[in-house]
Amino acid sequence: MSAIFQNYARYPLTFVKGEGARLTDENGRVFLDFGCGISVVNLGHSHPHVTKAIQEQAATLIHTSNLYRNPLQEQLADRLSRCGFGGDVFFCNSGAEANEAALKLARIYTNKKYDGKRSRVLTLQNSFHGRTYMTLSATGQDKVKKGFEPIMECFTHIRGGDFGSFLNEVKKGDVGAIILEIVQGEGGLEMLPRDYLVEVSEYCAKYDILLILDEIQTGFGRTGDIFAYKHYGITPDIMTLAKGIANGVPMGAVMAKHEVAEYLSAGTHGSTFGGNYLACAAAHAVLDVMTEKGFMLQVREKGDWFLGKLAEIFHQTEVTVHGTALMSGVKVPGRQKEFIENCMKNGLIVIPAGNDVVRIYPPLTVTYEELEEGLALIRKSASEMGIGD
């Protein structure tokens, strides 16, 4: 047995090559990848423009730390800010680090403005915000916390989509922030209602409660826009990003309104690797592609078409189709593991979410022919289990 930690229940597959929507294993078998490394490789494997940027940057300069100015990082922050709500940007290495930084920012903001009297943070039941100590405490799933108790006590988990539940807590006067995912990826592709998001956003703006949107999984095109919040006409105070930001090069980011971001002054937070030259070069290349005219439109069109076809397969069965655009999946009560393994046996990679949901995340660059191929493999896998048409 390898000396590596055994903290992952890995599938018995070893991939040696990736190209577009396909992965090749060590035996030469080719799989269709509709998992994208958990929504990380959103532009597909070895995207030529991203690969070229990484190669050129690796041959030039990879890392200097954040002790010195990094023009590539400054330019990337400006580009992200223009794509988002005009906030300031902090770079780190992962989604958990981004949420950790966002929660620290919320804490220092409310502590300084309200003398430590607004220390509580609301999060949603069934949410997932990471596996660091603070972010697992924020997560609304007990299985993530098991064995690590006692967790931090500053988090209160409320029902998503229930504005009354939100009001009951904020009216106690000690809430400084709420962190939520518009679509709960790890929580089973549960989507928050538009009315709820608007009501929470308006209340937060009126009473200076920070609205933190965790866009780690929904960001970078997965829902058919660069960020999911843009579909709802709301604006967060803080937004966290990672996964698809650099198409596989580890990177995370926090975007915050300037009047909030300024509370993290020099020496209050940092990251040795965050926003290094290599990651920034990859992220610039990702933005080059994703901001091309028509890119997000084709994601939405493919996503709508795919969700419709997926629903046809499971028409009149207990399996339900969830998601939006190319952030899609199916709920197969009690048979999640079986379904994933059956798809894998047939040559399709899909990934679990929650206890019963299977996430189906094709690359945003997928072709209609590849989507048809994936649907055929899903239909075959479902049929072999006695579900689907």
Side-chain angles (χ1 to χ4, degrees):
M1 180 179 290
S2 166
I4 197 165
F5 270 35
Q6 299 299 307
N7 58 318
Y8 295 109
R10 300 178 198 269
Y11 295 105
L13 280 173
T14 302
F15 295 113
V16 296
K17 183 182 177 183
E19 186 173 12
R22 300 186 191 274
L23 283 168
T24 304
D25 76 2
E26 59 185 346
N27 299 313
R29 187 180 180 196
V30 179
F31 294 76
L32 195 58
D33 183 12
F34 278 13
C36 284
I38 316 180
S39 197
V40 168
V41 195
N42 279 359
L43 295 181
H45 297 279
S46 304
H47 189 282
H49 187 60
V50 180
T51 299
K52 182 172 183 287
I54 292 171
Q55 288 174 332
E56 290 180 353
Q57 192 59 50
T60 306
L61 180 63
I62 291 178
H63 179 82
T64 60
S65 85
N66 281 304
L67 291 173
Y68 315 98
R69 286 190 62 191
N70 177 338
L72 211 56
Q73 186 185 102
E74 293 172 4
Q75 292 157 12
L76 179 62
D78 291 343
R79 290 185 75 180
L80 285 171
S81 185
R82 288 195 297 273
C83 289
F85 49 85
D88 295 347
V89 180
F90 165 79
F91 291 108
C92 50
N93 307 291
S94 68
E97 283 185 66
N99 279 338
E100 188 88 16
L103 291 165
K104 280 184 68 178
L105 174 58
R107 174 57 56 82
I108 199 168
Y109 173 88
T110 53
N111 273 352
K112 288 194 172 183
K113 283 191 77 172
Y114 299 102
D115 299 322
K117 295 176 181 173
R118 288 192 179 189
S119 60
R120 207 152 53 96
V121 177
L122 303 183
T123 85
L124 301 190
Q125 296 170 1
N126 208 36
S127 61
F128 181 83
H129 298 295
R131 295 183 187 275
T132 66
Y133 184 60
M134 191 172 190
T135 58
L136 75 82
S137 299
T139 291
Q141 299 183 48
D142 289 342
K143 66 181 182 183
V144 177
K145 303 167 187 170
K146 191 174 181 181
F148 300 103
E149 301 88 349
I151 61 168
M152 296 179 69
E153 296 180 348
C154 59
F155 296 101
T156 300
H157 300 96
I158 61 174
R159 290 188 298 276
D162 182 350
F163 188 63
S165 175
F166 169 80
L167 274 183
N168 287 340
E169 295 301 328
V170 293
K171 285 186 174 177
K172 295 174 183 175
D174 60 349
V175 172
I178 178 171
I179 180 169
L180 52 84
E181 305 153 282
I182 291 174
V183 184
Q184 292 182 334
E186 189 68 28
L189 290 175
E190 293 295 330
M191 299 176 64
L192 290 175
R194 176 181 296 276
D195 289 350
Y196 173 79
L197 286 167
V198 172
E199 285 179 311
V200 168
S201 175
E202 289 177 348
Y203 190 96
C204 286
K206 185 174 182 179
Y207 293 101
D208 195 24
I209 294 170
L210 294 175
L211 174 59
I212 307 171
L213 293 185
D214 177 340
E215 289 248 22
I216 287 162
Q217 196 160 144
T218 52
F220 295 96
R222 190 47 68 184
T223 70
D225 206 328
I226 190 77
F227 306 124
Y229 80 85
K230 292 187 168 233
H231 296 298
Y232 297 86
I234 61 173
T235 303
D237 298 293
I238 304 173
M239 176 171 66
T240 55
L241 305 166
K243 290 197 183 293
I245 189 171
N247 212 54
V249 177
M251 188 180 219
V254 178
M255 185 183 298
K257 291 178 177 175
H258 176 73
E259 60 269 28
V260 178
E262 64 184 359
Y263 279 78
L264 274 188
S265 55
T268 54
H269 192 64
S271 168
T272 297
F273 294 101
N276 75 12
Y277 282 88
L278 189 68
C280 285
H284 271 292
V286 167
L287 282 182
D288 290 344
V289 176
M290 289 196 179
T291 56
E292 285 177 357
K293 188 176 180 181
F295 183 87
M296 290 301 166
L297 176 61
Q298 61 91 28
V299 173
R300 292 193 291 274
E301 289 177 345
K302 287 177 187 170
D304 290 344
W305 180 86
F306 184 72
L307 280 168
K309 293 291 183 182
L310 205 55
E312 288 177 12
I313 293 176
F314 296 104
H315 181 59
Q316 293 185 331
T317 73
E318 64 175 351
V319 177
T320 51
V321 175
H322 295 249
T324 177
L326 289 174
M327 190 174 186
S328 56
V330 292
K331 189 171 186 177
V332 282
R335 306 184 75 178
Q336 178 198 59
K337 185 173 185 289
E338 182 186 359
F339 187 81
I340 291 170
E341 291 179 348
N342 215 31
C343 286
M344 198 178 295
K345 181 197 73 177
N346 289 320
L348 177 69
I349 302 297
V350 289
I351 52 179
N355 296 322
D356 292 316
V357 173
V358 176
R359 278 174 286 190
I360 304 170
Y361 288 1
L364 309 184
T365 51
V366 70
T367 65
Y368 279 99
E369 290 75 19
E370 289 165 336
L371 287 175
E372 287 269 24
E373 185 181 345
L375 287 164
L377 294 173
I378 290 168
R379 181 178 286 107
K380 179 182 180 186
S381 302
S383 177
E384 289 171 351
M385 293 168 58
I387 54 177
D389 64 3

